[in-house]
Amino acid sequence: MDTTTLFDSSFWESAWNEAIEADQERKRAKKSVDVWNRRAKNYDKNVDTDSGNRRVEEALAFLDTYGVMSEKLRILDLGCGPGNFTMAFAERGHQVVALDPAEEMLTILREKLAKRPDLEPLVKTVGDDWIPLVPQEYGWDNNFDLVFASMTPGVQDVTTLEKVMQVSGGYVYLSRFSGPRIHPSVQAVWEHFNDKPYYSQSLDILFPLNWLYAEGYKPAMHFARWERQHEQPAQEALEEMRNVLSLRMDIDRQVEQVMAQYVEAHSDENGLLSETKGATSAMLLWHVDKRVLTKGG
């Protein structure tokens, strides 16, 4: 192998595209929005936990380490979901544009803002999909001090990542998975029908990290690990499995049967399914002018 290709950003772009095709991510883009609309309430309940709050605190601490938030910023929260990070940014006095394609997610965020009238003037919600979005139509070129993209499927390839840097006039934060997730019920059903582990390689930090480096960026990096014991009624667990698996496979009658058998076999006498879920995420932070970041800003 000619190792000089590893320093060519086109190598990593091609590798990322190959992973995307293997995962069939582009084909599932519209389906993904539908799934996130269905998952919105349950997802909000899951992230509004001690472990979810710790993840918010850890991400903010990472930004603080490099002095990013020492002044009031205009932030694009890309793929904001139910708004955990949006609310945290607004509580610090930053102006936030909260973007998400799933209207149900934005509804939950608006409900949170309605309970915090002091924060409402700082937050603007936008229902749009980052993948086809044209920044010029919003007047967003170089418009934000920080583009914050936490675990969002909206940044799915080099094109959507370059668009992130197009709208940032300063910093970019991107977090992705680092290695496989722990989700026993989903993994069990997936592996019943597939001869490979349940993992979307294209969602791993490997590809954007190495593409950025090959392009001359010097991102700061931080890894975070979370695990939690998750307990839910059998029917909720079944619905969650259905939503998660539908992002990677078609849910037919046979899949439904295997899911139901798993839930029945692993639920306790009270009809509750308990399992340990977890993942390692990697946070990247860089400046669009390719400067080397220093701690303290």
Side-chain angles (χ1 to χ4, degrees), residues 15-294:
W16 198 352
N17 284 331
E18 288 178 17
I20 289 166
E21 291 306 312
D23 293 339
Q24 297 185 325
E25 286 296 326
R26 289 195 178 103
K27 295 179 182 178
R28 295 186 172 91
K30 176 61 171 67
K31 189 176 183 180
S32 175
V33 176
D34 296 335
V35 169
W36 284 110
N37 272 314
R38 293 197 302 270
R39 292 185 69 189
K41 289 184 179 179
N42 197 43
Y43 181 80
D44 181 52
K45 183 172 67 175
N46 290 338
V47 297
D48 190 18
T49 59
D50 288 343
S51 63
N53 292 331
R54 283 196 298 273
R55 277 180 277 169
V56 172
E57 292 170 2
E58 191 159 8
L60 294 181
F62 178 53
L63 295 173
D64 285 337
T65 296
Y66 294 93
V68 174
M69 305 182 75
S70 59
E71 298 179 356
K72 294 296 182 285
L73 307 178
R74 177 169 164 79
I75 300 172
L76 173 63
D77 188 357
L78 198 168
C80 64
N84 289 46
F85 286 105
T86 291
M87 297 296 288
F89 290 140
E91 286 174 349
R92 288 187 171 207
H94 302 291
Q95 292 186 332
V96 188
V97 174
L99 174 74
D100 203 281
E103 187 59 33
E104 291 300 318
M105 291 288 192
L106 293 178
T107 296
I108 293 171
L109 171 54
R110 293 179 188 121
E111 289 171 353
K112 293 177 181 177
L113 288 168
K115 298 175 183 178
R116 291 291 306 272
D118 57 318
L119 301 183
E120 279 190 289
L122 294 172
V123 178
K124 178 183 179 181
T125 60
V126 177
D128 208 338
D129 188 341
W130 182 251
I131 297 171
L133 183 146
V134 179
Q136 292 88 342
E137 293 181 356
Y138 287 94
W140 282 357
D141 280 355
N142 302 313
N143 192 255
F144 297 96
D145 303 303
L146 168 66
V147 178
F148 185 87
S150 175
M151 309 300 286
T152 175
V155 182
Q156 64 165 4
D157 55 16
V158 168
T159 299
T160 48
L161 180 56
E162 287 182 322
K163 188 159 54 175
V164 167
M165 292 188 283
Q166 176 185 340
V167 303
S168 176
Y171 295 95
V172 177
Y173 169 101
L174 175 71
S175 65
R176 311 275 285 187
F177 289 109
S178 176
R181 287 163 278 180
I182 299 173
H183 196 160
S185 57
V186 167
Q187 290 165 337
V189 176
W190 170 264
E191 291 173 7
H192 183 90
F193 296 97
N194 298 275
D195 59 1
K196 59 181 180 180
Y198 179 80
Y199 184 54
S200 298
Q201 289 188 355
S202 62
L203 299 180
D204 198 279
I205 198 65
L206 174 74
F207 301 104
L209 170 62
N210 285 289
W211 181 84
L212 285 164
Y213 182 81
E215 281 285 305
Y217 295 93
K218 302 294 186 289
M221 190 171 187
H222 176 71
F223 290 96
R225 178 69 183 172
W226 66 269
E227 285 188 13
R228 63 184 173 87
Q229 193 67 22
H230 187 64
E231 183 179 84
Q232 59 188 149
Q235 282 304 118
E236 286 187 14
L238 190 60
E239 181 65 18
E240 179 70 4
M241 292 167 64
R242 185 180 297 115
N243 285 332
V244 174
L245 284 165
S246 68
L247 293 170
R248 298 291 312 282
M249 63 191 293
D250 293 328
I251 308 299
D252 57 21
R253 184 176 299 178
Q254 188 177 7
V255 177
E256 289 281 1
Q257 183 178 26
V258 172
M259 289 193 301
Q261 290 172 345
Y262 182 93
V263 171
E264 182 179 3
H266 292 83
S267 296
D268 63 20
E269 64 275 9
N270 297 314
L272 297 174
L273 178 68
S274 180
E275 57 183 349
T276 300
K277 297 181 181 180
T280 299
S281 64
M283 309 175 194
L284 299 182
L285 177 68
W286 69 97
H287 197 281
V288 294
D289 69 3
K290 300 185 178 181
R291 72 179 66 166
V292 175
L293 304 184
T294 57

